[in-house]
Amino acid sequence: MNKFLDAIRQADSIGITGHVRPDGDCFGSCMGLYNYIKEQFPEKETLVYLEKAAPEFSFISRSNEIRHTPDEKEYSLFLALDCGSSDRLGSFLPLFEKAGKRIVVDHHISNTGFGQENYVDLTASSTSEIIYTLLEEEKISRKSGEALYLGIAHDTGVFKHSCTTKRTMEIAGKLMELGIPYSQIIDQTFYQKTYVQNQVLGRCLLESLLLLEGKVVASCIDKKTMEFYGAESSDLDGIIDQLRVTKGVSAAIFLYETGFREYKVSLRSNTELDVSKIAAYFGGGGHKKAAGCTMSGCYRDVLTNLCQHIGAAMEQEEAMGN
Ligand SMILES: [Mn+2]
């Protein structure tokens, strides 16, 4: 018997939440655990709290039971999943703070250990992978398995990112044996795009520019164009990744206008170039190969400014022999 499941057994009421703007892993880990508890411990009062997630995730069992707003309940156990720090809980933080026992399950390097018990594994591909290892394998149902598979597939970029390990693949394999619709989960939640999303992607690719002698590709979309297509900011996910795979480029830049002369900037690197440093210079942050910031000015000025810094950083890299 493990300590994690003991905490669940000992609790009368259990609350689960993840981070603000839930992604596939946040949603998958919360719902994987929620379905497991509902099936194995039906006598317990269990609820899951999450902000509204992508509608494509709603095929996951019991999604209709998710609470989107906090309440006054005091739980004997509250679990925070896929959150590096307590501020990531957003409006659900008070529920976590009031609970008798607070457990954190996460895989972010930045995790602050804000729970009383912290199951933090930096080598795990995803929080969904950690949840799988904390549960009793033979009791994981197809319903719970679908959610965990969704989470693992999303955080690994469909088993592609460097966080994917042999263990990740073994767990995914065991989940497949439950009879889950693994192709559909990936197609419908990861690759499928709406007509508007495809239109906007096409437009951004069409209008992209090669800069710094072809080492950088950049594109931008303004508010007017987004309104024309009826696109939301969430419809722009994935455009930067398509730009990044342009053959021969070291870095990709994508800008979208969020306010008058204000742009949200996404940066990606294919080389040793550390884009988190570029983003940090402009008040943002992120990872070495994926980062972002917000910048003001007209489109041309923002792009020129970024290219100056990226160009200088590339020269430095070259001088260091990378
Ligand atoms: Mn995650």
Side-chain angles (χ1 to χ4, degrees):
M1 291 301 149
N2 74 41
K3 215 176 147 197
F4 178 78
L5 284 175
D6 282 344
I8 290 175
R9 276 190 202 98
Q10 284 155 18
D12 306 316
S13 59
I14 303 163
I16 304 168
T17 196
H19 58 73
V20 290
R21 293 185 299 282
D23 59 9
D25 182 35
C26 171
F27 191 89
S29 57
C30 287
M31 294 311 289
L33 179 61
Y34 180 63
N35 276 291
Y36 184 93
I37 296 174
K38 283 297 223 185
E39 289 157 6
Q40 297 299 319
F41 307 97
E43 72 285 1
K44 295 191 192 292
E45 192 191 345
T46 308
L47 269 177
V48 59
Y49 296 84
L50 282 174
E51 286 182 5
K52 285 218 163 75
E56 311 78 275
F57 299 165
S58 60
F59 75 95
I60 294 291
S61 176
R62 296 189 169 91
S63 292
N64 57 327
E65 295 170 20
I66 298 172
R67 298 283 171 101
H68 300 300
T69 45
D71 53 39
E72 297 296 312
K73 273 197 66 70
E74 286 184 29
Y75 285 95
S76 47
L77 170 64
F78 206 86
L79 296 121
L81 272 47
D82 205 35
C83 297
S85 54
S86 61
D87 58 298
R88 298 278 289 150
L89 299 177
S91 65
F92 304 120
L93 177 60
L95 278 165
F96 181 77
E97 284 176 329
K98 269 192 304 204
K101 187 168 200 167
R102 298 179 292 279
I103 291 183
V104 165
V105 185
D106 186 36
H107 67 127
H108 290 99
I109 190 162
S110 55
N111 193 286
T112 58
F114 61 99
Q116 287 162 316
E117 281 175 28
N118 299 281
Y119 296 87
V120 178
D121 181 357
L122 305 183
T123 69
S125 68
S126 51
T127 300
S128 301
E129 181 178 320
I130 306 174
I131 291 290
Y132 181 93
T133 59
L134 290 171
L135 302 178
E136 283 180 279
E137 208 174 87
E138 66 284 358
K139 292 186 181 163
I140 296 175
S141 70
R142 178 182 157 144
K143 286 176 178 173
S144 176
E146 284 180 352
L148 297 176
Y149 190 86
L150 169 79
I152 295 171
H154 275 246
D155 257 21
T156 56
V158 189
F159 309 104
K160 180 184 75 178
H161 296 333
S162 55
C163 61
T164 314
T165 63
K166 181 178 171 219
R167 185 183 55 182
T168 313
M169 302 303 274
E170 281 165 355
I171 291 172
K174 286 179 183 162
L175 292 171
M176 285 167 84
E177 282 180 343
L178 297 172
I180 62 168
Y182 49 88
S183 303
Q184 255 166 290
I185 291 175
I186 289 171
D187 255 350
Q188 290 175 11
T189 69
F190 199 87
Y191 290 113
Q192 200 174 77
K193 287 185 181 290
T194 63
Y195 182 61
V196 163
Q197 286 165 349
N198 266 338
Q199 280 188 303
V200 171
L201 169 67
R203 170 98 181 218
C204 291
L205 295 179
L206 191 69
E207 296 193 347
S208 64
L209 302 167
L210 281 176
L211 304 162
L212 296 177
E213 293 160 358
K215 287 189 208 130
V216 172
V217 65
S219 193
C220 175
I221 189 161
D222 59 23
K223 274 192 128 176
K224 228 173 68 190
T225 313
M226 293 210 13
E227 277 160 26
F228 175 79
Y229 289 105
E232 309 276 337
S233 62
S234 58
D235 293 320
L236 307 176
D237 290 353
I239 293 178
I240 184 70
D241 300 305
Q242 191 58 48
L243 289 168
R244 182 187 72 79
V245 296
T246 308
K247 193 170 178 180
V249 306
S250 305
I253 303 172
F254 179 62
L255 309 175
Y256 82 88
E257 195 182 23
T258 48
F260 180 66
R261 291 198 163 183
E262 188 188 83
Y263 289 92
K264 187 122 181 20
V265 180
S266 299
L267 301 169
R268 294 288 185 276
S269 166
N270 287 330
T271 61
E272 287 305 306
L273 172 76
D274 184 348
V275 287
S276 74
K277 286 187 186 159
I278 312 275
Y281 179 84
F282 294 106
H287 308 279
K288 199 176 166 191
K289 296 197 176 257
C293 56
T294 299
M295 289 172 72
S296 306
C298 75
Y299 165 55
R300 274 169 171 277
D301 291 347
V302 167
L303 208 53
T304 307
N305 230 332
L306 279 167
C307 279
Q308 260 168 14
H309 282 84
I310 292 174
M314 279 177 172
E315 272 172 34
Q316 246 177 29
E317 277 300 324
E318 273 164 30
M320 283 161 63
N322 280 320

